[in-house]
Amino acid sequence: MKYLAKIIFGREQLLKYHNDETLTDCEKIINVKNYSFETRLERNAFYKGIGEAIGWLEFEVIKEFEQKDHKDDKKEDEDKFDYWAFIYKYYPKYHQCNSVLLSDILTRKLGGEEISEEDEEYIKDWDIRNELFEVDKELLCKAFENYFNINYPENLNI
């Protein structure tokens, strides 16, 4: 997690900022700075240091936010199980399965996407989320059963 901050330095520039006056290009270059900190502790130490060095009246943090590292995103992506890739690979006759088609329709409906009028009529009284859960659970279970049978076939000699 990174911490980003934008700080304005200078009493006159702060007055302009608070009065919604535009800073000149020169003032922006000299008096407005962006900082990036790897940890919250580093950010807090920096704030404390500049506060002690120049006093709180001469600068102000005008924008501050946390930013996820791309490393965190990759780690999070690696931890996610892509069950559709698994179903695609191990579900028997995936491309001929009506449950796969139904799952796609329900997913699009739940996501607010447009579906055909016939499909709308067919699912009009359904609890979409619950039905999707049941369909996907059944697909995943059959795919897992097929995966298990491929990787650990029954040994009749045992």
Side-chain angles (χ1 to χ4, degrees), residues 3-152:
Y3 299 88
L4 305 171
K6 187 175 198 175
I7 301 176
I8 293 182
F9 294 90
R11 189 169 288 140
E12 291 175 28
Q13 289 70 29
L14 280 170
L15 286 172
K16 280 186 169 183
Y17 173 76
H18 287 294
N19 291 329
D20 290 326
E21 296 176 27
T22 305
L23 297 175
T24 66
D25 290 339
C26 186
E27 286 175 316
K28 287 177 186 175
I29 292 169
I30 294 171
N31 300 90
V32 179
K33 301 292 180 191
N34 293 306
Y35 295 93
S36 173
F37 309 100
E38 295 298 320
T39 66
R40 183 182 305 248
L41 185 64
E42 183 183 338
R43 180 200 68 185
N44 292 345
F46 177 80
Y47 287 169
K48 183 178 180 189
I50 62 172
E52 290 174 357
I54 61 175
W56 284 103
L57 297 176
E58 296 177 340
F59 78 94
E60 184 176 330
V61 178
I62 59 169
K63 189 175 184 182
E64 179 179 59
F65 58 95
E66 296 177 16
Q67 179 184 46
K68 275 188 171 182
D69 285 341
H70 294 296
K71 292 183 290 186
D72 293 340
D73 292 343
K74 286 180 184 175
K75 175 71 172 136
E76 195 174 292
D77 288 345
E78 289 172 5
D79 291 343
K80 286 184 181 177
F81 173 61
D82 183 359
Y83 74 94
W84 271 108
F86 185 83
I87 291 170
Y88 179 80
K89 185 172 183 179
Y90 291 104
Y91 191 88
K93 299 182 180 176
Y94 173 89
H95 295 289
Q96 301 167 359
C97 180
N98 288 334
S99 294
V100 171
L101 176 59
L102 179 59
S103 176
D104 179 60
I105 292 166
L106 295 173
T107 300
R108 286 188 283 128
K109 176 69 175 174
L110 193 61
E113 294 179 40
E114 194 172 314
I115 61 175
S116 73
E117 290 180 24
E118 295 85 19
D119 292 338
E120 284 281 2
E121 183 63 29
Y122 182 68
I123 65 172
K124 70 179 178 184
D125 296 324
W126 290 15
D127 177 345
I128 304 298
R129 185 179 181 279
N130 188 50
E131 290 293 331
L132 178 60
F133 175 74
E134 293 300 323
V135 169
D136 284 3
K137 181 170 66 172
E138 181 183 321
L139 290 167
L140 187 56
C141 284
K142 284 184 182 178
F144 182 72
E145 182 179 351
N146 197 41
Y147 165 83
F148 196 82
N149 288 334
I150 290 169
N151 289 291
Y152 307 104

